[in-house]
Amino acid sequence: ALSNEFGRLAQGNIHGVKSTDTMDFIYKKDVPKNKKVTYATFVCDYRPLKSEPWRVRCVVGGDRLPYPDDTSSPAATILDTKLMINSVISDSSKGAKFLSADLKDFFLGSLMKNAEYMRIHFDVFPPDIIEKYNLKDKVAEDGFIYIKIKKGMYGLKQAAILAYKQLVAHLKPYGYEPIPFSLSLWRHSTRRTKFCLCVDDFGVKYFTKDDADHLLNSL
């Protein structure tokens, strides 16, 4: 599980995990002098319904990294989701259906203008990752491996707003846009499709299979 997480965030592993090219293993000397270096924590979970049930996720210590811009991003609440579901089953939306979707690696695909940096102790890395990325050569005198973060990661203050802005730009050519003055409700310009978004989870109200396919293919 840990090998897959490092492989997913970096450039793959021997087990064939798909890379998001989110981070690079670097030498300590390659960290810019004006950049702070933070820590990483690991969240472990068991998800029996997933293809990879034993899961590890690397979380950046974003509390130690300064970010001057606004980091707030619209996110649907439980109430928004309930309203979406209720509007499907109510008489006011006859023929409506509901589906849920998960945008895989949503945060890990958001590009950042400025890289961030963290370090992880060498002892944490599995043998196959050490070999593939030649980490014995990169380990610093303090025993840590230094990492350049190129894209959004869990824990970064800016990850949510960057991912949201990129999703807005990505979906605009397909006719989808946030509904003004709502937290995170979206609509299509001509179709009857509406959806709410919370991080990378979608709750979608649609009327035809073509409408559902249009949204899913747009993502």
Side-chain angles (χ1 to χ4, degrees):
L2 188 54
S3 172
N4 285 346
E5 176 67 353
F6 284 126
R8 184 170 64 102
L9 292 170
Q11 291 78 41
N13 65 359
I14 61 174
H15 307 295
V17 68
K18 185 178 179 181
S19 164
T20 59
D21 194 28
T22 297
M23 68 185 199
D24 293 330
F25 300 110
I26 63 173
Y27 293 96
K28 183 179 179 179
K29 64 180 178 62
D30 293 329
V31 178
K33 299 296 184 183
N34 64 329
K35 298 294 290 189
K36 287 188 175 181
V37 178
T38 191
Y39 62 94
T41 58
F42 295 89
V43 178
C44 303
D45 195 12
Y46 177 65
R47 304 287 292 278
L49 299 180
K50 297 288 188 177
S51 58
E52 184 187 356
W54 298 100
R55 303 163 72 84
V56 179
R57 292 295 179 262
C58 180
V59 180
V60 181
D63 58 309
R64 295 189 182 178
L65 296 176
Y67 186 73
D69 298 330
D70 181 27
T71 59
S72 61
S73 62
T77 63
I78 293 297
L79 178 59
D80 296 320
T81 307
K82 286 183 176 179
L83 288 173
M84 183 71 71
I85 296 175
N86 288 340
S87 71
V88 170
I89 63 178
S90 68
D91 290 338
S92 63
S93 297
K94 288 185 177 181
K97 300 176 183 179
F98 182 85
L99 68 84
S100 61
D102 178 10
L103 193 55
K104 184 175 174 61
D105 295 333
F106 181 42
F107 273 46
L108 308 182
S110 55
L111 299 174
M112 301 194 303
K113 290 182 179 179
N114 300 305
E116 303 287 4
Y117 296 84
M118 67 177 176
R119 66 178 191 171
I120 299 173
H121 200 276
F122 178 79
D123 292 345
V124 172
F125 293 91
D128 64 299
I129 295 296
I130 293 174
E131 181 178 358
K132 178 177 176 60
Y133 293 97
N134 194 26
L135 296 188
K136 287 184 178 179
D137 184 56
K138 292 185 171 71
V139 61
E141 69 281 356
D142 55 10
F144 285 87
I145 296 295
Y146 286 74
I147 295 169
K148 178 181 180 180
I149 306 169
K150 303 180 293 185
K151 299 179 182 179
M153 281 184 65
Y154 303 114
L156 287 177
K157 300 172 185 176
Q158 64 268 42
I161 186 61
L162 292 176
Y164 179 81
K165 288 180 177 179
Q166 290 180 35
L167 184 66
V168 171
H170 175 77
L171 288 179
K172 185 176 181 180
Y174 298 97
Y176 298 96
E177 62 179 5
I179 298 175
F181 308 111
S182 69
L183 281 177
S184 192
L185 298 176
W186 294 58
R187 66 187 176 191
H188 190 269
S189 56
T190 58
R191 298 172 185 262
R192 300 168 70 188
T193 307
K194 290 184 174 64
F195 65 87
C196 58
L197 173 64
C198 183
V199 188
D200 56 359
D201 294 313
F202 290 74
V204 184
K205 174 183 176 181
Y206 70 101
F207 288 84
T208 68
K209 184 177 183 301
D210 181 65
D211 288 340
D213 289 342
H214 185 269
L215 173 60
L216 295 178
N217 291 332
S218 300
L219 297 171

